[in-house]
Amino acid sequence: MIKLNVWGGAGEHGRSAYLLSGDRTHILMDCGVKKEGAGAYPLIQPELVSTLDAVLLSHAHEDHSVAIPLLYKMGYQGEVWTTRETREQLNTYFRAWRSNLERAGYELPYEETDVESIRYRYLEDQAKPGIWFEMIPGLHVLWGRSGHLAGSVWFVLEMEGKRIFYSGDYTSESMLLQEDCAAEALRLASLFRGKEKSSRINNLRLSQGMAVGDGIPFAGEPRVELAIANENSGISEVSLTPSLIKSSLNQPMDLAIVDAAYGTDRDTQADKLEQLDRAIRQTIARGGKVLLPMPSVGRGQEIILWAHEQFPGVPMIAEQGLLDGMKQLLRAPYWLREQGTHLKGPLRGAIERFLKGQSWYLPKSQEDRERLLNQYGASLWFIPDGMMQSSLARWYYSQLAESGENLILLTGHAAVGTFAQKLAQNPAEHGVCEVQKIRYKVHQGWLDVERMLQRLPARHTLLVHADKAETDRLREGLLKNSPSPEAELHSLSPGDELYV
Ligand SMILES: [Zn+2]
Ligand SMILES: [Zn+2]
């Protein structure tokens, strides 16, 4: 029996931390913070910290990562398993969290030496995505890209006879980032289990458009192409028959912890882009400016590239922080799709063209900003800081706030107490410009969760990353649509436990 302790992240947005305890093995998945006031940290049980065998980190965002130093302060001496890309981004998130707190007059609950004590191990040094490896004795792990952020991953764990899936933050609808379907990866991995040492498996892919074992009957000539590189013989391609594939269908998970951050929102990314397009066009048509505050890395780069194609004649201004994020994407090509979705042509080319382009402006000084604001009427302004806490974001707001033609367009989560959240709640209190919130998807909504449940059936599924009331509503809705008596759906709160 495995026990799950929710130290944070279920029934709330933030401080993701899930402890899995078996008879012999204790694993923590993520350890983040909830951005409220001094920060809400996971409900770590101090007496258990020294029993942890490993910490797995899904990605660099602070709601998954910045409480890790606290574990070291409490005596953890083990390793943190993540990707190299996540490691590269972590310094920025640790630093940002520290300066956020300092600015607000709060203190960090750990020291810089605790940050320096973190011992990282890299997943890709052990195994490629979709290949099982033994992380520590008795714990087998399979990982893949989760499409949420460069470096972000999902995990499948096998410990003490149980199988556990953790989606991390997950989306299959990023315009830029590739995700690996966990169900497909598992099926293919099972065909090769135990053979990893004799063949170096270079590339596993399902032939286009085929869904294996998703309840969709095999049509035509389905084929799985496997490119296997033997040390001596080079690459050979083999095709597998449907019956062989069927025989590799997955055993159900014992537990799945699934990103359900958007709760009952049923929109697809295409729906969201349509809504964004409409809001921007309306503002442009009346001669207004659109302010788009974005986190430095993530959806900002996606929306910039999309808007650049979508509104070719409209002046675009992008601040340095967001351009740095764009350059960073080029340094991490492994995490990118080859072909962007909702974007034209190969993705790397599109990013390179944008960075070389002359069709947008980069303000280099405060004077530049003021000049550009005066020069352009209808225009798009991409600025860093999605929560609008920085002085730069507040300054931009003050410049646009006094005209009803302008639009502040919020596209992501705004934590309680932040300026973006206050603005969304009561725009008229701060200015006369229009404020709209249209979410750009970097997590899963109702339909995505439904699809994940079908593809990765689990005896217990825990829906996470949204507040409790919304998670309850989603759970009700899912149960109504597809009641499955043998599978249990859970909506839990921090401090809760679950035995699987
Ligand atoms: Zn995230
Ligand atoms: Zn998150």
Side-chain angles (χ1 to χ4, degrees):
M1 187 154 295
I2 302 271
K3 179 176 162 188
L4 165 72
N5 281 89
V6 179
W7 282 356
E12 61 183 353
H13 183 125
R15 60 167 171 178
S16 295
Y18 307 98
L19 172 69
L20 296 169
S21 308
D23 289 335
R24 301 175 296 280
T25 313
H26 302 81
I27 304 296
L28 183 67
M29 294 188 296
D30 288 346
C31 198
V33 75
K34 187 152 72 167
K35 284 177 157 178
E36 285 176 15
Y41 290 83
L43 307 176
I44 300 171
Q45 296 160 274
E47 70 281 9
L48 297 184
V49 169
S50 61
T51 69
L52 287 177
D53 295 297
V55 174
L56 276 60
L57 171 61
S58 65
H59 65 294
H61 281 151
E62 54 275 77
D63 59 320
H64 298 256
S65 66
V66 300
I68 288 175
L70 199 51
L71 296 171
Y72 283 84
K73 183 170 182 169
M74 293 171 139
Y76 180 58
Q77 297 190 330
E79 292 160 336
V80 172
W81 286 83
T82 193
T83 61
R84 287 183 182 278
E85 180 61 28
T86 294
R87 169 69 190 100
E88 295 228 335
Q89 296 168 22
L90 276 176
N91 288 346
T92 314
Y93 285 99
F94 285 142
R95 218 180 306 125
W97 179 241
R98 175 183 286 275
S99 59
N100 265 348
L101 287 189
E102 280 169 3
R103 198 165 46 210
Y106 298 113
E107 259 182 53
L108 263 185
Y110 51 78
E111 324 302 322
E112 198 53 38
T113 50
D114 300 313
V115 178
E116 286 156 14
S117 320
I118 303 176
R119 289 165 53 212
Y120 293 98
R121 289 291 300 274
Y122 302 112
L123 295 163
E124 54 272 66
D125 291 353
Q126 294 302 312
K128 294 191 171 190
I131 307 286
W132 285 102
F133 75 101
E134 193 169 20
M135 183 175 273
I136 52 169
L139 174 70
H140 289 85
V141 176
L142 185 82
W143 65 278
R145 293 169 291 185
S146 77
H148 170 76
L149 185 70
S152 75
V153 293
W154 49 258
F155 294 104
V156 181
L157 274 55
E158 260 186 14
M159 59 188 267
E160 302 185 14
K162 303 280 182 185
R163 255 190 187 191
I164 295 137
F165 172 63
Y166 176 41
S167 72
D169 287 359
Y170 190 102
T171 182
S172 61
E173 292 185 294
S174 163
M175 290 193 273
L176 306 186
L177 300 175
Q178 182 63 51
E179 108 283 5
D180 300 309
C181 170
E184 285 176 12
L186 267 166
R187 280 175 199 125
L188 291 173
S190 69
L191 293 168
F192 284 94
R193 201 120 196 224
K195 301 192 188 81
E196 292 90 347
K197 286 202 176 70
S198 56
S199 320
R200 189 161 51 82
I201 299 166
N202 254 6
N203 186 18
L204 301 179
R205 63 178 187 273
L206 290 173
S207 47
Q208 234 185 3
M210 189 182 69
V212 186
D214 287 339
I216 298 161
F218 293 109
E221 287 276 75
R223 211 155 51 91
V224 178
E225 293 167 8
L226 301 171
I228 305 171
N230 283 322
E231 297 305 334
N232 318 329
S233 62
I235 293 175
S236 62
E237 295 242 338
V238 294
S239 292
L240 296 169
T241 61
S243 62
L244 190 51
I245 297 163
K246 268 185 176 162
S247 73
S248 72
L249 287 186
N250 298 321
Q251 69 189 76
M253 293 288 149
D254 295 287
L255 169 66
I257 301 173
V258 169
D259 175 1
Y262 297 152
T264 54
D265 188 337
R266 296 175 68 92
D267 285 355
T268 63
Q269 193 77 289
D271 297 330
K272 298 298 186 196
L273 290 173
E274 228 177 273
Q275 293 159 26
L276 281 172
D277 182 77
R278 204 176 313 132
I280 292 173
R281 274 184 208 285
Q282 279 168 1
T283 309
I284 297 300
R286 63 180 184 232
K289 297 181 173 70
V290 185
L291 187 68
L292 295 119
M294 303 280 170
S296 293
V297 181
R299 65 178 188 271
Q301 285 72 34
E302 309 212 358
I303 302 176
I304 287 178
L305 286 177
W306 169 80
H308 190 240
E309 281 188 10
Q310 201 77 1
F311 308 102
V314 180
M316 178 190 278
I317 294 89
E319 283 281 348
Q320 185 67 50
L322 290 160
L323 296 176
D324 292 342
M326 194 74 84
K327 288 179 197 153
Q328 200 174 313
L329 280 179
L330 281 183
R331 287 195 296 270
Y334 172 68
W335 301 91
L336 293 180
R337 293 182 187 280
E338 269 176 37
Q339 201 80 25
T341 53
H342 307 287
L343 296 170
K344 294 179 205 114
L347 200 48
R348 287 200 63 162
I351 297 175
E352 278 160 356
R353 265 196 314 282
F354 175 82
L355 285 171
K356 273 193 213 129
Q358 307 295 314
S359 49
W360 48 272
Y361 306 94
L362 166 68
K364 295 222 164 64
S365 64
Q366 193 60 14
E367 255 174 27
D368 258 2
R369 287 182 188 111
E370 285 169 17
R371 183 178 53 78
L372 290 164
L373 278 167
N374 285 329
Q375 194 171 343
Y376 295 110
S379 46
L380 301 176
W381 294 76
F382 286 90
I383 65 161
D385 189 6
M387 310 263 182
M388 300 184 75
Q389 291 290 84
S390 66
S391 48
L392 182 65
R394 304 287 272 272
W395 178 81
Y396 267 116
Y397 174 73
S398 72
Q399 298 300 303
L400 269 62
E402 296 317 316
S403 164
E405 289 168 356
N406 297 334
L407 168 66
I408 315 296
L409 195 41
L410 303 171
T411 51
H413 175 69
V416 177
T418 59
F419 185 64
Q421 187 252 352
K422 288 177 194 158
L423 193 58
Q425 222 162 42
N426 199 349
E429 203 168 277
H430 306 275
V432 299
C433 65
E434 190 188 355
V435 177
Q436 277 202 50
K437 191 167 176 184
I438 300 172
R439 166 187 275 167
Y440 177 83
K441 289 179 77 178
V442 295
H443 291 279
Q444 301 202 106
W446 183 328
L447 300 180
D448 313 303
V449 171
E450 208 161 58
R451 196 178 320 118
M452 192 168 257
L453 294 180
Q454 282 164 8
R455 289 189 176 175
L456 277 176
R459 289 196 300 112
H460 296 273
T461 298
L462 172 60
L463 306 169
V464 300
H465 220 303
D467 72 53
K468 183 74 170 83
E470 184 63 3
T471 310
D472 287 343
R473 283 190 288 272
L474 174 63
R475 180 176 172 275
E476 291 296 308
L478 288 167
L479 286 174
K480 222 176 274 168
N481 273 14
S482 53
S484 168
E486 67 279 9
E488 283 190 57
L489 268 184
H490 302 271
S491 164
L492 300 180
S493 300
D496 285 351
E497 1 175 293
L498 180 69
Y499 288 86
V500 298

